Amino acid sequence: MTDSIQLNSRKIIHIDMDAFYASVEQRDFPELRGKPLVVGGDPNGRGVVAAASYEVRQFGVRSAMSCYEARKLCPEVIFVRPRFEVYRAVSSDIRRIMHSLTPHVEPLSLDEAYLDVTGLSVHKGSATLMANWLRAQILEYTGLTASAGVSFNKMLAKIASDINKPNGTAIITPKEADHFISTLPIERFHGIGKATAKRLHAMGVSNGADLRRTPAAVLVQEFGKRGQFYHDIAHGRDARPVKSERTHKSVGSETTFKNNLNDDDALLTQIYEQNADAFNQMHQKQLVAHTITLKIKYSDFTQITRSHTLSTTFDSAESAHYWLDKLFLDIPRQLPIRLVGVTFSSLAPAAQLLPQLNLFE
């Protein structure tokens, strides 16, 4: 059996929650159901849309858009601030459901993940039945809907999960892949962003068929190593495995102010808040850290970082305050500050540090 045949016999599911943050808010607050809802920042400041309900998407509102622009598109929109601790808790419940099916789960974010179900005999060995079972379990235990894509590689499974959104399943089989890819706009290929799509259009490439006809050497010359990846996905080839163990290189939290700040006390208060959030994330991931980094972005959008590394680990959020104070004093203050952030790195699993197992108790 060739490698190509082996890869085409894989069964990959991509689960993508529907308007996750907004759906959680509508689940928890019945008065928000059926309403145009944005989870995000202040529409009168620099707030950004973190999630948009399907009711507001019909007005053109999308994630990453400014909240100010969202309100211009839909004056009736309701804004709520994100509750990330709640979203992380719901995401953990969803992960447990996934792991009850297979250990081969690769989370991409709080609201989406890949599963490799190759060789499973449950649900008659059908990846489609498994995907629908996952969606039903998620709905039963969380009250939220999810969409699923099923295919023989990660790229096609991810694209498929968007076809029948919301609350649907789509399948792309090996026999259907060539035709599907040929007609697919290049903007829909996972891994091709707006800037790359613009360059490809300038080369006369607008869909999968055009991309397939473009020699690999030309794509590599234009895009480097990514060019070979584009050539492969145009032919339906994506050998990337589902990685069930993802290494966390860092855990952090940052915030952008509505108005630029100059006051040291106000800045340190916000730095402590981001530190507490970052430490809580690390705690939930059962990690410990040796390094802390303070990030500052000035009003002119330039930024600076300062770090400190301990031989031991940070045993509480408060234990980092001393070092954050020192790092803050080392930050030049020639301009007002628009963003602060705190990141923990040089991470290790807490369970590996037996003398420090009680740090999170």
Side-chain angles (χ1 to χ4, degrees), residues 103-107 114 116 154 240-246:
H104 304 298
V105 178
E106 179 182 349
Y114 290 114
D116 190 332
K154 292 169 81 171
R240 293 175 300 161
V242 171
K243 299 179 180 178
S244 53
E245 293 295 332
R246 304 196 76 187

Side-chain angles (χ1 to χ4, degrees), residues 3-316:
D3 290 343
S4 177
I5 294 174
Q6 288 176 338
L7 290 174
N8 285 0
S9 66
R10 289 194 301 168
K11 296 179 180 180
I12 309 296
I13 299 172
H14 180 256
I15 294 289
D16 192 7
M17 299 303 297
D18 298 324
F20 182 51
Y21 298 169
S23 295
V24 171
E25 298 301 329
Q26 290 179 323
R27 180 198 68 176
D28 293 350
F29 301 97
E31 66 272 19
L32 298 177
R33 294 173 191 170
K35 303 289 181 63
L37 176 70
V38 159
V39 179
D42 184 354
N44 299 311
R46 296 194 180 99
V48 174
V49 175
S53 71
Y54 284 99
E55 293 86 357
V56 80
R57 292 186 187 189
Q58 62 185 339
F59 295 91
V61 177
R62 295 289 184 270
S63 297
M65 175 183 289
S66 74
C67 290
Y68 175 78
E69 185 179 358
R71 189 162 64 178
K72 284 176 61 179
L73 291 171
C74 179
E76 297 80 22
V77 64
I78 300 169
F79 291 93
V80 299
R81 298 306 294 269
R83 298 182 297 149
F84 289 112
E85 286 190 12
V86 175
Y87 309 148
R88 282 193 283 267
V90 177
S91 180
S92 294
D93 291 338
I94 295 167
R95 296 285 182 268
R96 279 192 286 273
I97 294 170
M98 293 176 176
H99 279 103
S100 72
L101 178 66
T102 175
H104 304 298
V105 178
E106 179 182 349
L108 299 178
S109 61
L110 292 179
D111 62 344
E112 61 176 320
Y114 290 114
L115 299 88
D116 190 332
V117 296
T118 308
L120 291 185
S121 60
V122 294
H123 304 288
K124 302 178 182 179
S126 166
T128 303
L129 292 178
M130 295 178 209
N132 288 333
W133 177 85
L134 285 166
R135 292 177 47 240
Q137 290 290 299
I138 290 169
L139 179 60
E140 180 178 350
Y141 287 100
T142 71
L144 303 171
T145 63
S147 296
V150 180
S151 196
F152 56 92
N153 64 43
K154 292 169 81 171
M155 179 201 71
L156 289 172
K158 184 172 176 66
I159 293 172
S161 68
D162 199 43
I163 292 175
N164 290 327
K165 262 189 169 294
N167 197 24
T169 300
I171 304 96
I172 302 173
T173 67
K175 289 182 179 179
E176 299 165 340
D178 281 352
H179 175 71
F180 178 84
I181 292 169
S182 293
T183 59
L184 192 70
I186 55 171
E187 290 83 359
R188 294 281 307 280
F189 283 88
H190 181 50
I192 295 181
K194 290 182 179 179
T196 301
K198 185 176 181 180
R199 291 168 65 185
L200 284 167
H201 278 294
M203 296 167 60
V205 177
S206 61
N207 58 31
D210 297 333
L211 188 59
R212 190 179 294 161
R213 285 192 292 266
T214 307
V218 173
L219 292 170
V220 171
Q221 183 177 3
E222 182 71 22
F223 300 104
K225 290 182 180 178
R226 295 295 294 175
Q228 183 61 52
F229 176 72
Y230 301 150
H231 180 263
D232 288 341
I233 61 177
H235 290 80
R237 297 192 292 264
D238 180 6
R240 293 175 300 161
V242 171
K243 299 179 180 178
S244 53
E245 293 295 332
R246 304 196 76 187
T247 302
H248 297 278
K249 295 183 179 180
S250 64
V251 176
S253 178
E254 61 184 42
T255 189
T256 301
F257 304 126
K258 177 180 177 182
N259 299 305
N260 299 327
L261 289 183
N262 266 320
D263 181 75
D264 284 5
D265 289 339
L267 285 163
L268 277 171
T269 297
Q270 192 61 55
I271 288 169
Y272 291 165
E273 286 190 21
Q274 304 314 127
N275 171 64
D277 182 54
F279 191 89
N280 182 54
Q281 290 183 54
M282 185 170 64
H283 179 183
Q284 291 184 347
K285 298 179 191 301
Q286 298 184 323
L287 298 169
V288 290
H290 291 274
T291 300
I292 192 168
T293 300
L294 174 63
K295 174 183 175 182
I296 298 290
K297 184 177 289 186
Y298 297 107
S299 56
D300 65 351
F301 290 85
T302 59
Q303 66 182 45
I304 190 171
T305 60
R306 292 289 186 267
S307 299
H308 185 80
T309 300
L310 301 177
S311 57
T312 58
T313 59
F314 292 92
D315 60 2
S316 68

